[in-house]
């Protein structure tokens, strides 16, 4: 069984910053990629940023230059540093992991609201 535990999120003013973290727990975990997706009501979940076990990253065009994803080399965890936040970044953010031999897993979601 794999669990993804998310932390961070909350309410921030436009131009502000937030940091999301996600840690995977389970036995004998090896992972291929972890990342963050976001979803607003009535729309599909969309990729925000993703990092592979080799450190390769990719970002959605809407967050390039503002968000940075990083992995923790000591544990199976990723963080998403979000700077220069905009109201359109408001969404529920979900951690995602692709675990070797076990498949894909999602976190429970954390709300990010950007509003003055």
């Amino acid at each position: 069984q794999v669990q993804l535990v998310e932390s961070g999120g909350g309410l921030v003013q436009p131009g502000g910053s937030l940091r999301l973290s996600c840690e995977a727990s389970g036995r004998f975990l090896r992972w291929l990629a972890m990342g963050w997706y976001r979803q607003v009501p009535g729309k599909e979940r969309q990729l925000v940023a993703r990092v592979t076990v080799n450190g390769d990253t990719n970002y959605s065009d809407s967050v390039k230059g503002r968000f940075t994803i990083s992995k923790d080399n000591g544990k199976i965890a990723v963080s998403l540093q979000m700077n220069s936040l905009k109201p359109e970044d408001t969404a529920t953010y979900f951690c995602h992991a692709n675990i070797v031999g076990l498949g894909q897993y999602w976190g429970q979601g954390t709300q990010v609201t950007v509003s003055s």
Side-chain angles (χ1 to χ4, degrees), residues 20 34-40 44-51 57-69 79-82 85 88-96 106 112:
L20 304 181
M34 293 183 71
W36 290 92
Y37 289 69
R38 65 188 182 189
Q39 187 171 24
V40 296
E44 292 186 354
R45 196 170 294 185
Q46 294 184 327
L47 174 70
V48 175
R50 178 176 176 268
V51 60
T57 59
N58 61 293
Y59 297 88
S60 70
D61 289 342
S62 62
V63 306
K64 281 181 181 177
R66 300 187 298 122
F67 291 12
T68 303
I69 191 168
S79 295
L80 183 69
Q81 179 65 40
M82 305 185 292
L85 282 160
E88 50 264 43
D89 295 317
T90 296
T92 302
Y93 285 68
F94 295 89
C95 181
H96 173 266
W106 293 94
V112 171

mmCIF file of all heavy atoms in Angstrom, residues 20 34-40 44-51 57-69 79-82 85 88-96 106 112:
data_model
loop_
_atom_site.group_PDB
_atom_site.id
_atom_site.type_symbol
_atom_site.label_atom_id
_atom_site.label_comp_id
_atom_site.label_asym_id
_atom_site.label_seq_id
_atom_site.Cartn_x
_atom_site.Cartn_y
_atom_site.Cartn_z
ATOM 1 N N LEU A 20 4.256 23.589 -1.496
ATOM 2 C CA LEU A 20 3.557 22.327 -1.292
ATOM 3 C C LEU A 20 4.593 21.210 -1.171
ATOM 4 O O LEU A 20 5.598 21.213 -1.872
ATOM 5 C CB LEU A 20 2.628 22.018 -2.467
ATOM 6 C CG LEU A 20 1.573 23.069 -2.821
ATOM 7 C CD1 LEU A 20 0.722 22.565 -4.003
ATOM 8 C CD2 LEU A 20 0.711 23.409 -1.638
ATOM 9 N N MET A 34 7.274 11.757 -9.833
ATOM 10 C CA MET A 34 6.292 12.350 -8.936
ATOM 11 C C MET A 34 5.985 13.755 -9.433
ATOM 12 O O MET A 34 6.814 14.391 -10.088
ATOM 13 C CB MET A 34 6.795 12.409 -7.495
ATOM 14 C CG MET A 34 6.954 11.045 -6.853
ATOM 15 S SD MET A 34 7.465 11.132 -5.126
ATOM 16 C CE MET A 34 5.961 11.754 -4.345
ATOM 17 N N GLY A 35 4.811 14.215 -9.109
ATOM 18 C CA GLY A 35 4.463 15.541 -9.579
ATOM 19 C C GLY A 35 3.214 16.085 -8.934
ATOM 20 O O GLY A 35 2.655 15.485 -8.003
ATOM 21 N N TRP A 36 2.809 17.231 -9.430
ATOM 22 C CA TRP A 36 1.620 17.913 -8.939
ATOM 23 C C TRP A 36 0.690 18.219 -10.105
ATOM 24 O O TRP A 36 1.144 18.658 -11.175
ATOM 25 C CB TRP A 36 2.006 19.220 -8.252
ATOM 26 C CG TRP A 36 2.710 19.017 -6.956
ATOM 27 C CD1 TRP A 36 4.049 18.936 -6.742
ATOM 28 C CD2 TRP A 36 2.088 18.848 -5.687
ATOM 29 N NE1 TRP A 36 4.304 18.727 -5.415
ATOM 30 C CE2 TRP A 36 3.120 18.676 -4.737
ATOM 31 C CE3 TRP A 36 0.768 18.842 -5.241
ATOM 32 C CZ2 TRP A 36 2.872 18.493 -3.384
ATOM 33 C CZ3 TRP A 36 0.514 18.670 -3.893
ATOM 34 C CH2 TRP A 36 1.559 18.495 -2.980
ATOM 35 N N TYR A 37 -0.577 17.956 -9.876
ATOM 36 C CA TYR A 37 -1.636 18.312 -10.801
ATOM 37 C C TYR A 37 -2.582 19.253 -10.061
ATOM 38 O O TYR A 37 -2.579 19.306 -8.836
ATOM 39 C CB TYR A 37 -2.398 17.070 -11.255
ATOM 40 C CG TYR A 37 -1.626 16.163 -12.182
ATOM 41 C CD1 TYR A 37 -0.527 15.435 -11.736
ATOM 42 C CD2 TYR A 37 -2.004 16.025 -13.521
ATOM 43 C CE1 TYR A 37 0.184 14.612 -12.589
ATOM 44 C CE2 TYR A 37 -1.304 15.193 -14.383
ATOM 45 C CZ TYR A 37 -0.225 14.486 -13.901
ATOM 46 O OH TYR A 37 0.473 13.668 -14.749
ATOM 47 N N ARG A 38 -3.400 19.956 -10.816
ATOM 48 C CA ARG A 38 -4.399 20.800 -10.176
ATOM 49 C C ARG A 38 -5.721 20.705 -10.927
ATOM 50 O O ARG A 38 -5.757 20.386 -12.127
ATOM 51 C CB ARG A 38 -3.942 22.252 -10.089
ATOM 52 C CG ARG A 38 -3.764 22.979 -11.406
ATOM 53 C CD ARG A 38 -3.122 24.347 -11.157
ATOM 54 N NE ARG A 38 -2.958 25.118 -12.397
ATOM 55 C CZ ARG A 38 -2.278 26.256 -12.472
ATOM 56 N NH1 ARG A 38 -1.694 26.768 -11.380
ATOM 57 N NH2 ARG A 38 -2.173 26.893 -13.620
ATOM 58 N N GLN A 39 -6.776 21.003 -10.177
ATOM 59 C CA GLN A 39 -8.112 20.871 -10.744
ATOM 60 C C GLN A 39 -9.022 21.937 -10.149
ATOM 61 O O GLN A 39 -8.981 22.203 -8.940
ATOM 62 C CB GLN A 39 -8.671 19.476 -10.440
ATOM 63 C CG GLN A 39 -9.974 19.153 -11.121
ATOM 64 C CD GLN A 39 -10.350 17.692 -10.938
ATOM 65 O OE1 GLN A 39 -9.929 17.030 -9.986
ATOM 66 N NE2 GLN A 39 -11.139 17.162 -11.864
ATOM 67 N N VAL A 40 -9.820 22.524 -11.014
ATOM 68 C CA VAL A 40 -10.872 23.442 -10.570
ATOM 69 C C VAL A 40 -12.207 22.802 -10.899
ATOM 70 O O VAL A 40 -12.294 21.962 -11.803
ATOM 71 C CB VAL A 40 -10.753 24.829 -11.240
ATOM 72 C CG1 VAL A 40 -9.444 25.495 -10.826
ATOM 73 C CG2 VAL A 40 -10.847 24.717 -12.749
ATOM 74 N N GLU A 44 -11.007 19.360 -16.104
ATOM 75 C CA GLU A 44 -10.171 18.191 -15.920
ATOM 76 C C GLU A 44 -8.933 18.536 -15.097
ATOM 77 O O GLU A 44 -8.465 19.677 -15.085
ATOM 78 C CB GLU A 44 -9.743 17.639 -17.286
ATOM 79 C CG GLU A 44 -10.879 17.044 -18.095
ATOM 80 C CD GLU A 44 -10.389 16.391 -19.371
ATOM 81 O OE1 GLU A 44 -9.179 16.501 -19.663
ATOM 82 O OE2 GLU A 44 -11.202 15.767 -20.068
ATOM 83 N N ARG A 45 -8.419 17.503 -14.430
ATOM 84 C CA ARG A 45 -7.181 17.651 -13.698
ATOM 85 C C ARG A 45 -6.041 17.834 -14.704
ATOM 86 O O ARG A 45 -5.942 17.111 -15.690
ATOM 87 C CB ARG A 45 -6.951 16.412 -12.838
ATOM 88 C CG ARG A 45 -5.932 16.553 -11.757
ATOM 89 C CD ARG A 45 -5.964 15.347 -10.836
ATOM 90 N NE ARG A 45 -7.218 15.260 -10.091
ATOM 91 C CZ ARG A 45 -7.448 14.350 -9.148
ATOM 92 N NH1 ARG A 45 -6.519 13.455 -8.853
ATOM 93 N NH2 ARG A 45 -8.605 14.321 -8.526
ATOM 94 N N GLN A 46 -5.167 18.800 -14.418
ATOM 95 C CA GLN A 46 -4.103 19.122 -15.352
ATOM 96 C C GLN A 46 -2.747 19.101 -14.669
ATOM 97 O O GLN A 46 -2.624 19.480 -13.487
ATOM 98 C CB GLN A 46 -4.343 20.503 -15.972
ATOM 99 C CG GLN A 46 -5.586 20.573 -16.853
ATOM 100 C CD GLN A 46 -5.725 21.919 -17.520
ATOM 101 O OE1 GLN A 46 -5.348 22.947 -16.963
ATOM 102 N NE2 GLN A 46 -6.257 21.927 -18.737
ATOM 103 N N LEU A 47 -1.739 18.697 -15.424
ATOM 104 C CA LEU A 47 -0.377 18.668 -14.912
ATOM 105 C C LEU A 47 0.105 20.082 -14.628
ATOM 106 O O LEU A 47 -0.066 20.985 -15.445
ATOM 107 C CB LEU A 47 0.557 18.009 -15.916
ATOM 108 C CG LEU A 47 2.043 18.045 -15.565
ATOM 109 C CD1 LEU A 47 2.332 17.128 -14.381
ATOM 110 C CD2 LEU A 47 2.893 17.650 -16.764
ATOM 111 N N VAL A 48 0.741 20.235 -13.454
ATOM 112 C CA VAL A 48 1.401 21.491 -13.115
ATOM 113 C C VAL A 48 2.906 21.335 -13.302
ATOM 114 O O VAL A 48 3.547 22.106 -14.012
ATOM 115 C CB VAL A 48 1.094 21.906 -11.661
ATOM 116 C CG1 VAL A 48 1.871 23.154 -11.280
ATOM 117 C CG2 VAL A 48 -0.406 22.104 -11.470
ATOM 118 N N ALA A 49 3.466 20.328 -12.653
ATOM 119 C CA ALA A 49 4.901 20.092 -12.728
ATOM 120 C C ALA A 49 5.173 18.645 -12.361
ATOM 121 O O ALA A 49 4.429 18.043 -11.582
ATOM 122 C CB ALA A 49 5.663 21.032 -11.798
ATOM 123 N N ARG A 50 6.279 18.123 -12.898
ATOM 124 C CA ARG A 50 6.602 16.723 -12.708
ATOM 125 C C ARG A 50 8.122 16.580 -12.680
ATOM 126 O O ARG A 50 8.835 17.297 -13.395
ATOM 127 C CB ARG A 50 6.006 15.934 -13.867
ATOM 128 C CG ARG A 50 6.245 14.458 -13.903
ATOM 129 C CD ARG A 50 5.473 13.881 -15.103
ATOM 130 N NE ARG A 50 5.720 12.465 -15.287
ATOM 131 C CZ ARG A 50 6.677 11.978 -16.072
ATOM 132 N NH1 ARG A 50 7.479 12.788 -16.719
ATOM 133 N NH2 ARG A 50 6.818 10.675 -16.195
ATOM 134 N N VAL A 51 8.611 15.666 -11.862
ATOM 135 C CA VAL A 51 10.038 15.369 -11.812
ATOM 136 C C VAL A 51 10.233 13.865 -11.834
ATOM 137 O O VAL A 51 9.487 13.124 -11.178
ATOM 138 C CB VAL A 51 10.703 16.010 -10.561
ATOM 139 C CG1 VAL A 51 10.090 15.487 -9.271
ATOM 140 C CG2 VAL A 51 12.208 15.799 -10.568
ATOM 141 N N THR A 57 12.684 17.427 -15.278
ATOM 142 C CA THR A 57 11.455 18.124 -14.894
ATOM 143 C C THR A 57 10.691 18.612 -16.119
ATOM 144 O O THR A 57 11.282 18.846 -17.175
ATOM 145 C CB THR A 57 11.746 19.334 -13.999
ATOM 146 O OG1 THR A 57 12.607 20.241 -14.700
ATOM 147 C CG2 THR A 57 12.419 18.918 -12.699
ATOM 148 N N ASN A 58 9.397 18.741 -15.962
ATOM 149 C CA ASN A 58 8.611 19.441 -16.960
ATOM 150 C C ASN A 58 7.470 20.180 -16.270
ATOM 151 O O ASN A 58 7.008 19.775 -15.204
ATOM 152 C CB ASN A 58 8.096 18.528 -18.077
ATOM 153 C CG ASN A 58 7.198 17.434 -17.592
ATOM 154 O OD1 ASN A 58 7.628 16.534 -16.891
ATOM 155 N ND2 ASN A 58 5.933 17.498 -17.973
ATOM 156 N N TYR A 59 7.100 21.300 -16.870
ATOM 157 C CA TYR A 59 6.122 22.212 -16.287
ATOM 158 C C TYR A 59 5.067 22.568 -17.324
ATOM 159 O O TYR A 59 5.332 22.599 -18.525
ATOM 160 C CB TYR A 59 6.798 23.518 -15.846
ATOM 161 C CG TYR A 59 7.832 23.366 -14.770
ATOM 162 C CD1 TYR A 59 9.156 23.095 -15.078
ATOM 163 C CD2 TYR A 59 7.488 23.510 -13.427
ATOM 164 C CE1 TYR A 59 10.121 22.963 -14.087
ATOM 165 C CE2 TYR A 59 8.437 23.389 -12.428
ATOM 166 C CZ TYR A 59 9.747 23.110 -12.771
ATOM 167 O OH TYR A 59 10.696 22.995 -11.772
ATOM 168 N N SER A 60 3.884 22.897 -16.829
ATOM 169 C CA SER A 60 2.902 23.459 -17.739
ATOM 170 C C SER A 60 3.351 24.868 -18.122
ATOM 171 O O SER A 60 4.049 25.542 -17.349
ATOM 172 C CB SER A 60 1.521 23.507 -17.088
ATOM 173 O OG SER A 60 1.484 24.481 -16.071
ATOM 174 N N ASP A 61 2.970 25.303 -19.288
ATOM 175 C CA ASP A 61 3.393 26.627 -19.747
ATOM 176 C C ASP A 61 2.932 27.734 -18.809
ATOM 177 O O ASP A 61 3.599 28.757 -18.658
ATOM 178 C CB ASP A 61 2.847 26.887 -21.160
ATOM 179 C CG ASP A 61 3.547 26.046 -22.213
ATOM 180 O OD1 ASP A 61 4.651 25.540 -21.934
ATOM 181 O OD2 ASP A 61 2.984 25.896 -23.318
ATOM 182 N N SER A 62 1.808 27.527 -18.170
ATOM 183 C CA SER A 62 1.224 28.576 -17.332
ATOM 184 C C SER A 62 2.008 28.830 -16.052
ATOM 185 O O SER A 62 1.821 29.868 -15.412
ATOM 186 C CB SER A 62 -0.225 28.235 -16.986
ATOM 187 O OG SER A 62 -0.284 27.039 -16.238
ATOM 188 N N VAL A 63 2.885 27.906 -15.679
ATOM 189 C CA VAL A 63 3.621 28.084 -14.428
ATOM 190 C C VAL A 63 5.122 28.195 -14.631
ATOM 191 O O VAL A 63 5.858 28.436 -13.667
ATOM 192 C CB VAL A 63 3.321 26.950 -13.428
ATOM 193 C CG1 VAL A 63 1.821 26.810 -13.207
ATOM 194 C CG2 VAL A 63 3.935 25.636 -13.866
ATOM 195 N N LYS A 64 5.590 28.014 -15.852
ATOM 196 C CA LYS A 64 7.028 28.100 -16.117
ATOM 197 C C LYS A 64 7.588 29.443 -15.661
ATOM 198 O O LYS A 64 7.006 30.493 -15.921
ATOM 199 C CB LYS A 64 7.300 27.901 -17.608
ATOM 200 C CG LYS A 64 7.259 26.459 -18.060
ATOM 201 C CD LYS A 64 7.552 26.346 -19.553
ATOM 202 C CE LYS A 64 7.475 24.904 -20.004
ATOM 203 N NZ LYS A 64 7.681 24.766 -21.462
ATOM 204 N N GLY A 65 8.706 29.380 -14.973
ATOM 205 C CA GLY A 65 9.336 30.597 -14.480
ATOM 206 C C GLY A 65 8.816 31.063 -13.137
ATOM 207 O O GLY A 65 9.414 31.945 -12.506
ATOM 208 N N ARG A 66 7.720 30.483 -12.683
ATOM 209 C CA ARG A 66 7.146 30.880 -11.389
ATOM 210 C C ARG A 66 7.176 29.737 -10.378
ATOM 211 O O ARG A 66 7.343 29.972 -9.182
ATOM 212 C CB ARG A 66 5.697 31.346 -11.573
ATOM 213 C CG ARG A 66 5.532 32.540 -12.498
ATOM 214 C CD ARG A 66 4.093 33.061 -12.494
ATOM 215 N NE ARG A 66 3.138 32.077 -12.982
ATOM 216 C CZ ARG A 66 2.095 31.626 -12.285
ATOM 217 N NH1 ARG A 66 1.878 32.071 -11.053
ATOM 218 N NH2 ARG A 66 1.265 30.752 -12.818
ATOM 219 N N PHE A 67 6.984 28.526 -10.859
ATOM 220 C CA PHE A 67 6.952 27.360 -9.975
ATOM 221 C C PHE A 67 8.228 26.543 -10.180
ATOM 222 O O PHE A 67 8.755 26.450 -11.297
ATOM 223 C CB PHE A 67 5.758 26.471 -10.294
ATOM 224 C CG PHE A 67 4.416 27.049 -9.941
ATOM 225 C CD1 PHE A 67 4.256 28.383 -9.601
ATOM 226 C CD2 PHE A 67 3.290 26.242 -9.964
ATOM 227 C CE1 PHE A 67 3.009 28.911 -9.286
ATOM 228 C CE2 PHE A 67 2.040 26.747 -9.643
ATOM 229 C CZ PHE A 67 1.895 28.077 -9.314
ATOM 230 N N THR A 68 8.680 25.913 -9.091
ATOM 231 C CA THR A 68 9.829 25.028 -9.161
ATOM 232 C C THR A 68 9.535 23.754 -8.397
ATOM 233 O O THR A 68 9.162 23.806 -7.216
ATOM 234 C CB THR A 68 11.078 25.694 -8.559
ATOM 235 O OG1 THR A 68 11.345 26.928 -9.239
ATOM 236 C CG2 THR A 68 12.288 24.784 -8.703
ATOM 237 N N ILE A 69 9.724 22.621 -9.070
ATOM 238 C CA ILE A 69 9.541 21.332 -8.416
ATOM 239 C C ILE A 69 10.908 20.763 -8.094
ATOM 240 O O ILE A 69 11.862 20.909 -8.866
ATOM 241 C CB ILE A 69 8.716 20.361 -9.294
ATOM 242 C CG1 ILE A 69 8.306 19.130 -8.488
ATOM 243 C CG2 ILE A 69 9.460 19.971 -10.566
ATOM 244 C CD1 ILE A 69 7.254 18.273 -9.167
ATOM 245 N N SER A 79 8.678 18.625 -3.555
ATOM 246 C CA SER A 79 8.129 19.904 -3.129
ATOM 247 C C SER A 79 7.859 20.763 -4.349
ATOM 248 O O SER A 79 8.535 20.628 -5.371
ATOM 249 C CB SER A 79 9.098 20.620 -2.195
ATOM 250 O OG SER A 79 9.272 19.908 -0.993
ATOM 251 N N LEU A 80 6.899 21.624 -4.222
ATOM 252 C CA LEU A 80 6.567 22.556 -5.292
ATOM 253 C C LEU A 80 6.601 23.961 -4.699
ATOM 254 O O LEU A 80 5.744 24.312 -3.875
ATOM 255 C CB LEU A 80 5.197 22.257 -5.882
ATOM 256 C CG LEU A 80 4.780 23.140 -7.059
ATOM 257 C CD1 LEU A 80 5.644 22.824 -8.283
ATOM 258 C CD2 LEU A 80 3.306 22.943 -7.398
ATOM 259 N N GLN A 81 7.586 24.737 -5.089
ATOM 260 C CA GLN A 81 7.676 26.131 -4.665
ATOM 261 C C GLN A 81 6.929 26.978 -5.672
ATOM 262 O O GLN A 81 7.267 26.976 -6.857
ATOM 263 C CB GLN A 81 9.130 26.570 -4.578
ATOM 264 C CG GLN A 81 9.320 28.015 -4.172
ATOM 265 C CD GLN A 81 8.844 28.287 -2.761
ATOM 266 O OE1 GLN A 81 9.056 27.476 -1.864
ATOM 267 N NE2 GLN A 81 8.200 29.440 -2.558
ATOM 268 N N MET A 82 5.926 27.687 -5.197
ATOM 269 C CA MET A 82 5.077 28.481 -6.075
ATOM 270 C C MET A 82 5.267 29.957 -5.748
ATOM 271 O O MET A 82 4.936 30.389 -4.641
ATOM 272 C CB MET A 82 3.612 28.078 -5.901
ATOM 273 C CG MET A 82 3.363 26.591 -6.108
ATOM 274 S SD MET A 82 1.619 26.149 -6.047
ATOM 275 C CE MET A 82 1.260 26.471 -4.320
ATOM 276 N N LEU A 85 2.256 34.088 -7.360
ATOM 277 C CA LEU A 85 0.972 33.423 -7.554
ATOM 278 C C LEU A 85 -0.070 34.387 -8.112
ATOM 279 O O LEU A 85 -0.093 35.583 -7.771
ATOM 280 C CB LEU A 85 0.497 32.812 -6.249
ATOM 281 C CG LEU A 85 1.192 31.493 -5.894
ATOM 282 C CD1 LEU A 85 1.068 31.179 -4.415
ATOM 283 C CD2 LEU A 85 0.625 30.354 -6.731
ATOM 284 N N GLU A 88 -5.586 32.932 -11.024
ATOM 285 C CA GLU A 88 -5.874 31.763 -11.854
ATOM 286 C C GLU A 88 -5.127 30.513 -11.417
ATOM 287 O O GLU A 88 -5.367 29.428 -11.959
ATOM 288 C CB GLU A 88 -5.578 32.050 -13.337
ATOM 289 C CG GLU A 88 -4.214 32.645 -13.611
ATOM 290 C CD GLU A 88 -4.240 34.162 -13.713
ATOM 291 O OE1 GLU A 88 -4.910 34.819 -12.877
ATOM 292 O OE2 GLU A 88 -3.555 34.692 -14.633
ATOM 293 N N ASP A 89 -4.230 30.629 -10.446
ATOM 294 C CA ASP A 89 -3.588 29.453 -9.865
ATOM 295 C C ASP A 89 -4.466 28.803 -8.807
ATOM 296 O O ASP A 89 -4.135 27.714 -8.308
ATOM 297 C CB ASP A 89 -2.244 29.830 -9.229
ATOM 298 C CG ASP A 89 -1.223 30.304 -10.243
ATOM 299 O OD1 ASP A 89 -1.116 29.682 -11.318
ATOM 300 O OD2 ASP A 89 -0.521 31.294 -9.950
ATOM 301 N N THR A 90 -5.564 29.448 -8.458
ATOM 302 C CA THR A 90 -6.477 28.882 -7.472
ATOM 303 C C THR A 90 -7.032 27.558 -7.958
ATOM 304 O O THR A 90 -7.576 27.463 -9.062
ATOM 305 C CB THR A 90 -7.631 29.865 -7.198
ATOM 306 O OG1 THR A 90 -7.101 31.057 -6.611
ATOM 307 C CG2 THR A 90 -8.659 29.240 -6.252
ATOM 308 N N ALA A 91 -6.856 26.530 -7.140
ATOM 309 C CA ALA A 91 -7.293 25.183 -7.513
ATOM 310 C C ALA A 91 -7.013 24.238 -6.355
ATOM 311 O O ALA A 91 -6.366 24.614 -5.377
ATOM 312 C CB ALA A 91 -6.540 24.705 -8.756
ATOM 313 N N THR A 92 -7.502 23.018 -6.502
ATOM 314 C CA THR A 92 -7.081 21.943 -5.615
ATOM 315 C C THR A 92 -5.880 21.265 -6.259
ATOM 316 O O THR A 92 -5.962 20.854 -7.422
ATOM 317 C CB THR A 92 -8.205 20.930 -5.379
ATOM 318 O OG1 THR A 92 -9.341 21.600 -4.832
ATOM 319 C CG2 THR A 92 -7.754 19.848 -4.412
ATOM 320 N N TYR A 93 -4.815 21.162 -5.514
ATOM 321 C CA TYR A 93 -3.571 20.587 -6.020
ATOM 322 C C TYR A 93 -3.427 19.160 -5.485
ATOM 323 O O TYR A 93 -3.581 18.918 -4.284
ATOM 324 C CB TYR A 93 -2.382 21.443 -5.587
ATOM 325 C CG TYR A 93 -2.271 22.726 -6.374
ATOM 326 C CD1 TYR A 93 -3.222 23.732 -6.238
ATOM 327 C CD2 TYR A 93 -1.229 22.922 -7.275
ATOM 328 C CE1 TYR A 93 -3.137 24.905 -6.978
ATOM 329 C CE2 TYR A 93 -1.125 24.093 -8.014
ATOM 330 C CZ TYR A 93 -2.082 25.075 -7.864
ATOM 331 O OH TYR A 93 -1.996 26.239 -8.596
ATOM 332 N N PHE A 94 -3.118 18.250 -6.394
ATOM 333 C CA PHE A 94 -2.993 16.838 -6.064
ATOM 334 C C PHE A 94 -1.578 16.353 -6.350
ATOM 335 O O PHE A 94 -1.050 16.584 -7.445
ATOM 336 C CB PHE A 94 -3.971 15.996 -6.898
ATOM 337 C CG PHE A 94 -5.417 16.267 -6.612
ATOM 338 C CD1 PHE A 94 -6.109 17.251 -7.306
ATOM 339 C CD2 PHE A 94 -6.100 15.520 -5.655
ATOM 340 C CE1 PHE A 94 -7.441 17.503 -7.061
ATOM 341 C CE2 PHE A 94 -7.433 15.762 -5.399
ATOM 342 C CZ PHE A 94 -8.108 16.751 -6.098
ATOM 343 N N CYS A 95 -1.022 15.660 -5.379
ATOM 344 C CA CYS A 95 0.255 15.001 -5.591
ATOM 345 C C CYS A 95 0.026 13.691 -6.339
ATOM 346 O O CYS A 95 -0.978 12.990 -6.094
ATOM 347 C CB CYS A 95 0.922 14.737 -4.249
ATOM 348 S SG CYS A 95 2.544 13.933 -4.356
ATOM 349 N N HIS A 96 0.933 13.368 -7.223
ATOM 350 C CA HIS A 96 0.842 12.144 -8.020
ATOM 351 C C HIS A 96 2.189 11.432 -8.002
ATOM 352 O O HIS A 96 3.245 12.075 -8.037
ATOM 353 C CB HIS A 96 0.456 12.495 -9.458
ATOM 354 C CG HIS A 96 0.502 11.337 -10.399
ATOM 355 N ND1 HIS A 96 1.608 11.045 -11.172
ATOM 356 C CD2 HIS A 96 -0.431 10.385 -10.684
ATOM 357 C CE1 HIS A 96 1.346 9.977 -11.898
ATOM 358 N NE2 HIS A 96 0.120 9.563 -11.632
ATOM 359 N N TRP A 106 -2.476 8.842 -6.022
ATOM 360 C CA TRP A 106 -2.828 10.252 -5.852
ATOM 361 C C TRP A 106 -2.931 10.601 -4.375
ATOM 362 O O TRP A 106 -3.368 9.774 -3.565
ATOM 363 C CB TRP A 106 -4.170 10.557 -6.518
ATOM 364 C CG TRP A 106 -4.159 10.441 -8.007
ATOM 365 C CD1 TRP A 106 -4.498 9.348 -8.748
ATOM 366 C CD2 TRP A 106 -3.787 11.460 -8.937
ATOM 367 N NE1 TRP A 106 -4.352 9.626 -10.080
ATOM 368 C CE2 TRP A 106 -3.919 10.916 -10.234
ATOM 369 C CE3 TRP A 106 -3.355 12.784 -8.816
ATOM 370 C CZ2 TRP A 106 -3.636 11.651 -11.388
ATOM 371 C CZ3 TRP A 106 -3.081 13.508 -9.964
ATOM 372 C CH2 TRP A 106 -3.226 12.945 -11.232
ATOM 373 N N VAL A 112 -5.381 25.511 -2.782
ATOM 374 C CA VAL A 112 -4.603 26.741 -2.912
ATOM 375 C C VAL A 112 -5.547 27.826 -3.417
ATOM 376 O O VAL A 112 -6.178 27.660 -4.466
ATOM 377 C CB VAL A 112 -3.423 26.564 -3.883
ATOM 378 C CG1 VAL A 112 -2.758 27.910 -4.175
ATOM 379 C CG2 VAL A 112 -2.410 25.581 -3.318
#
